[in-house]
Structure formats: structure tokens, C-alpha cells
Amino acid sequence: MKTFEELQNIWDQQTASESQPTPAEIIKKAELHTKKIKRGHLWTRIILSLTSIILISYYIWSGAYRNVQFSIGLCIMIVMLVSRVALEWISVKKLANLNTDLTLIEYSKLAHQFYSWRKKIHYILTPIIYLTYTAGFTLLLPVFKTIFSRGFYLYILLSGYIFLFLFAFFMIRFIQKEIKLLHFLKHIS
């Protein structure tokens, strides 16, 4: 009987030695995840803002306003990028409210709201913006076909759609990573 009791003691010590994360460790992990999300928002804003500036500069430089179809296509692309930048700025403001100094109930409520907000952006607004941006690019193609040589037009056509495809692939991966981080923050309580 003594052997069984010894085994039971060893077993009990084993399960007791597994430590649950302390609140301080959870808060630290939440802060690290929040920093990663903030960094992602920063890079998204920088890349989209630079792209917007390039397109606006190209619009002015090329005199796109003289050709209606070209103007509409380029304006659609610019508006979609600026809309996405605006959504990122709103997200940054909402993320700033997600402070680990709040009570657990308040933090959990804000984390849930932020998680829901980002899911709407990623699963509803981003596809709409992306598809509309692609439509704007497609509107440019007939104008490019008349302006450029056949070879350069094919280059623009292929590289444009390959870029859009690769960008969509990386965007999906980025969204999946962010949703995982947000899922952690949402379920921290």
C-alpha cells in the first residue's frame, strides 16, 4: 500500500508543479501582442499612404483628368487606398483605448469590441476595397493599351495582376496572423 501512496504523491507533485501563468505574465503577453498589432497598423498605413501619394502624383503628372475612363479608374484606386488608410487610423484610435491598466471586465469588453471591429474590416470592408481597387486598375487597361506598345501593355497587364494576386496572398496571411493575436486579446479574461 505504501508504494501506491508514494506513486500518488509523485503524481500529485507533478501536476502541482505545472504552473498557471500569473496575471503579470498574461498582461505582459497582451502588451506584446498589442505592440505587434500596432506595428502592423503602422506599416499598413505607411505602405498604403505611400502608394496613395504615388498614385496622386501620377494622376497629376500624367494629366489623367483629360481622359475620363483613365481618370475614373485612377480615382477609384486612390479613393480605395485612402479609405483603407482612414480605417487603419480609426483602428489605431480604438487600439489605444485597449489599455492593460483597465479592470479586467473593462479590458475584456474593449478587447471584444476591437476584435469585432477588426473582423468587420478584414472580412467585409477589405475584400470590398480590394475588389473595387482591382476594378479601378482594370479600367486603366484599355487606356494603357492605346497609349503603350503591345509589349509594354502586356507587361503592365501581367505584372499588375500578378502583383494583385501576390498582394492578396500576403494580405490574407497578415489578416490571419492579426486575427490570431486579436483572438488572444479577446479571450484573455
Side-chain angles (χ1 to χ4, degrees):
M1 195 62 134
K2 189 176 180 181
T3 311
F4 176 74
E5 289 174 3
E6 288 174 358
L7 286 174
Q8 184 66 37
N9 283 339
I10 292 171
W11 179 260
D12 290 340
Q13 289 174 357
Q14 227 178 2
T15 57
S17 68
E18 292 179 12
S19 62
Q20 295 291 329
T22 65
E25 290 172 339
I26 292 172
I27 289 171
K28 187 175 182 177
K29 193 169 185 178
E31 288 173 344
L32 287 173
H33 283 348
T34 304
K35 284 181 184 178
K36 284 182 183 178
I37 292 169
K38 284 181 181 179
R39 195 175 324 119
H41 288 208
L42 175 67
W43 281 109
T44 300
R45 287 189 327 243
I46 288 171
I47 291 168
L48 293 176
S49 295
L50 285 174
T51 306
S52 298
I53 290 168
I54 291 168
L55 287 176
I56 291 167
S57 300
Y58 182 72
Y59 181 82
I60 294 167
W61 175 78
S62 69
Y65 47 85
R66 290 184 221 139
N67 185 318
V68 176
Q69 185 176 2
F70 192 74
S71 183
I72 290 172
L74 205 51
C75 284
I76 287 172
M77 293 171 69
I78 291 168
V79 168
M80 290 301 104
L81 287 173
V82 170
S83 300
R84 190 65 172 90
V85 171
L87 288 173
E88 288 301 313
W89 277 104
I90 293 168
S91 291
V92 167
K93 297 285 185 193
K94 287 182 181 266
L95 186 60
N97 293 335
L98 200 59
N99 190 350
T100 54
D101 294 338
L102 299 171
T103 66
L104 186 59
I105 293 170
E106 290 174 22
Y107 179 84
S108 180
K109 180 183 168 190
L110 290 174
H112 182 71
Q113 288 173 351
F114 186 73
Y115 178 76
S116 298
W117 163 255
R118 290 303 288 180
K119 278 181 68 174
K120 286 177 188 172
I121 288 175
H122 289 319
Y123 296 133
I124 298 170
L125 298 174
T126 297
I128 290 170
I129 290 170
Y130 186 77
L131 291 173
T132 308
Y133 181 89
T134 303
F137 175 73
T138 304
L139 282 173
L140 301 177
L141 293 176
V143 177
F144 286 155
K145 190 172 187 174
T146 61
I147 294 173
F148 299 119
S149 68
R150 179 171 166 75
F152 192 64
Y153 169 73
L154 288 175
Y155 169 76
I156 291 172
L157 179 71
L158 292 175
S159 65
Y161 283 117
I162 289 171
F163 169 78
L164 289 169
F165 176 77
L166 290 174
F167 183 75
F169 173 76
F170 287 114
M171 184 173 55
I172 290 168
R173 290 192 55 179
F174 173 77
I175 287 170
Q176 289 172 338
K177 286 180 183 178
E178 183 177 334
I179 291 297
K180 283 181 186 177
L181 292 173
L182 291 170
H183 188 71
F184 171 80
L185 293 178
K186 178 184 169 198
H187 291 94
I188 209 165
S189 55

